[in-house]
């Protein structure tokens, strides 16, 4: 089997379709084994360092539990408790940590800093969310769609709301696997044009579409997957109250779900703000797969760790 040994995972752009499918097959196998409480020590004696500049529920627990289930260890490193907080350069931190760890997972605000960390690291660096990307989330998301719908190519994926880090990696991952991608945001909140351009390049290989639309109905119409995220992410300027009026037309509610395909999945990376980006009714509906999506963080990331860590 081809492997991703030793590679970084920084934005999702690194993976091609075959590699994504290999990760899915591994995730599917590991998920079935986990359900039977059978754990193979595929990463025995390996240690993952987990740098967090921000709080986390899903990412921290899924990586930590994942490493333990694979026979290895995970080391929680709050950025505030590292010498980084006292001004030690990220380049030095990276060279020190990569002499002791087998891989580094980092949730740090700045993508540029993450790329510096990776540039100086001799072990794989995994992006656990920056201001630009959230590739581990995207991997679990498209794995969930693949599990639920049995295919990806040709499905219509609609992202509604802020063109943020979650949006960027959702668009990249869906374009990479041949989905038709629609992204609807209020003016001034579109995803990064460079990301959209890359997605269009990926889509050209499939003959699929990547469309930015202003009218949310265009995105909702016949969608196979509807995805949203909070309207104000941690670290962003402004207030929720100020965003509410502008973003409310992009809310995922029953009227929106009625426009979509009858089997449409509702997805959200969590945590969600009910009655803002999604109504309670949709969040708790049969269309909602948000908790399976959250569980799949564990299985998809275990696959990623097995493929990346030599
Ligand atoms: N979706 C996600 O990354 O959740 P956490 O912030 O809880 O890790």
């Amino acid at each position: 089997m081809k492997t991703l040994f030793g590679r970084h995972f920084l934005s999702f752009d690194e993976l091609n379709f075959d590699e994504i499918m290999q990760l899915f097959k591994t995730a599917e196998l590991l998920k079935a084994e986990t359900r039977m409480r059978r754990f193979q020590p595929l990463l025995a004696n390996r240690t993952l360092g987990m740098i967090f500049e921000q709080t986390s529920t899903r990412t921290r627990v899924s990586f930590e539990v994942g490493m333990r289930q694979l026979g290895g260890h995970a080391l929680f490193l709050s950025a505030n408790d590292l010498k980084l907080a006292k001004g030690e350069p990220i380049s030095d931190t990276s060279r020190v940590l990569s002499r002791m760890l087998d891989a580094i997972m980092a949730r740090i605000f700045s993508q540029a800093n993450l790329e510096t960390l990776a540039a100086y690291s001799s072990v794989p660096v995994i992006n656990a969310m920056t201001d630009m990307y959230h590739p581990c989330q995207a991997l679990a998301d498209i794995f969930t769609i693949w599990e639920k719908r049995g295919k990806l190519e040709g499905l219509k994926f609609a992202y509604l709301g802020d063109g943020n880090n979650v949006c960027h990696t959702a668009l990249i991952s869906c374009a990479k696997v041949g989905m038709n991608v629609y992204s609807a945001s209020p003016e001034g909140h579109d995803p990064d044009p460079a990301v959209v351009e890359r997605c269009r390049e990926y889509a050209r290989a499939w003959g699929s579409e990547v469309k930015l639309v202003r009218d949310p109905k265009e995105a909702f119409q016949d969608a196979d997957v509807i995805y949203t995220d909070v309207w104000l992410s941690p670290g962003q300027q402004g207030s929720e109250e100020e965003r509410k009026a502008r973003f409310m037309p992009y809310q995922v509610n029953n009227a929106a779900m009625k426009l979509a395909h009858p089997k449409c999945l509702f997805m959200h990376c969590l945590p969600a703000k009910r009655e803002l980006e999604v109504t309670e009714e949709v969040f708790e509906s049969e269309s909602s797969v948000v908790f399976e999506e959250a569980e799949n963080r564990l299985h998809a990331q275990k696959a990623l760790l097995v493929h990346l860590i030599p």
Side-chain angles (χ1 to χ4, degrees):
M1 187 173 34
K2 261 172 66 180
T3 144
L4 306 171
F5 276 178
R7 280 167 50 180
H8 301 311
F9 186 53
L10 305 182
S11 67
F12 208 98
D13 292 277
E14 301 87 351
L15 297 180
N16 64 35
F17 180 73
D18 289 345
E19 290 163 346
I20 294 167
M21 287 299 136
Q22 280 174 24
L23 288 171
F24 284 4
K25 297 280 179 207
T26 306
E28 190 177 40
L29 193 70
L30 293 171
K31 184 171 182 173
E33 289 184 349
T34 304
R35 288 274 159 84
M36 292 184 282
R37 314 310 293 162
R38 270 206 227 130
F39 303 110
Q40 296 183 58
L42 299 172
L43 294 179
N45 304 319
R46 307 294 202 285
T47 305
L48 173 74
M50 308 191 300
I51 302 175
F52 280 97
E53 269 185 5
Q54 292 182 57
T55 57
S56 165
T57 296
R58 282 142 287 268
T59 304
R60 178 177 175 180
V61 175
S62 54
F63 270 109
E64 191 160 334
V65 169
M67 278 304 287
R68 281 172 187 238
Q69 291 181 349
L70 291 164
H73 304 274
L75 196 60
F76 176 75
L77 302 165
S78 162
N80 285 334
D81 297 333
L82 293 173
K83 290 289 187 189
L84 268 175
K86 299 279 181 208
E88 183 169 21
I90 218 156
S91 52
D92 294 354
T93 304
S94 178
R95 281 176 286 185
V96 171
L97 292 181
S98 60
R99 280 169 183 258
M100 301 175 187
L101 299 168
D102 297 288
I104 301 169
M105 183 234 81
R107 169 167 287 191
I108 50 185
F109 280 108
S110 153
Q111 179 71 18
N113 285 347
L114 180 85
E115 287 175 9
T116 304
L117 182 76
Y120 283 90
S121 172
S122 56
V123 298
V125 171
I126 298 170
N127 180 352
M129 196 175 85
T130 62
D131 54 351
M132 276 300 283
Y133 303 112
H134 197 355
C136 294
Q137 182 67 53
L139 185 65
D141 294 340
I142 58 168
F143 176 61
T144 306
I145 302 168
W146 180 73
E147 274 191 319
K148 293 276 167 199
R149 298 299 296 267
K151 65 168 192 171
L152 294 168
E153 187 183 352
L155 294 181
K156 177 175 174 179
F157 177 91
Y159 180 90
L160 278 295
D162 189 28
N164 61 12
N165 48 3
V166 171
C167 171
H168 291 158
T169 28
L171 304 191
I172 294 167
S173 59
C174 292
K176 282 258 177 181
V177 296
M179 294 174 79
N180 291 305
V181 178
Y182 283 62
S183 186
S185 307
E187 211 169 332
H189 298 278
D190 286 331
D192 185 303
V195 170
V196 175
E197 195 40 53
R198 292 207 307 275
C199 291
R200 291 200 167 122
E201 263 172 51
Y202 302 143
R204 265 193 285 279
W206 291 93
S208 53
E209 292 180 310
V210 174
K211 283 183 100 172
L212 290 198
V213 295
R214 203 63 73 210
D215 179 1
K217 287 198 180 105
E218 235 187 290
F220 287 130
Q221 192 68 49
D222 301 320
D224 293 289
V225 180
I226 290 179
Y227 199 112
T228 189
D229 189 17
V230 290
W231 291 339
L232 189 72
S233 302
Q236 281 183 332
Q237 299 291 318
S239 74
E240 227 159 47
E241 204 46 45
E242 170 266 324
R243 289 201 168 199
K244 205 168 160 180
R246 243 175 309 151
F247 278 77
M248 199 45 91
Y250 299 84
Q251 183 188 62
V252 182
N253 50 35
N254 273 352
M257 292 302 287
K258 281 202 180 90
L259 294 174
H261 187 282
K263 287 190 182 159
C264 180
L265 307 176
F266 169 71
M267 301 183 75
H268 193 303
C269 67
L270 304 180
K273 295 259 171 121
R274 289 163 167 87
E275 307 311 331
L276 289 180
E277 73 270 11
V278 58
T279 59
E280 172 84 8
E281 268 181 326
V282 171
F283 188 87
E284 297 293 349
S285 71
E286 284 189 3
S287 306
S288 175
V289 294
V290 295
F291 295 110
E292 282 156 283
E293 183 186 354
E295 180 192 329
N296 278 339
R297 293 290 304 275
L298 172 67
H299 310 300
Q301 288 162 195
K302 279 170 73 180
L304 185 69
L305 292 165
V306 166
H307 282 260
L308 292 184
I309 300 178

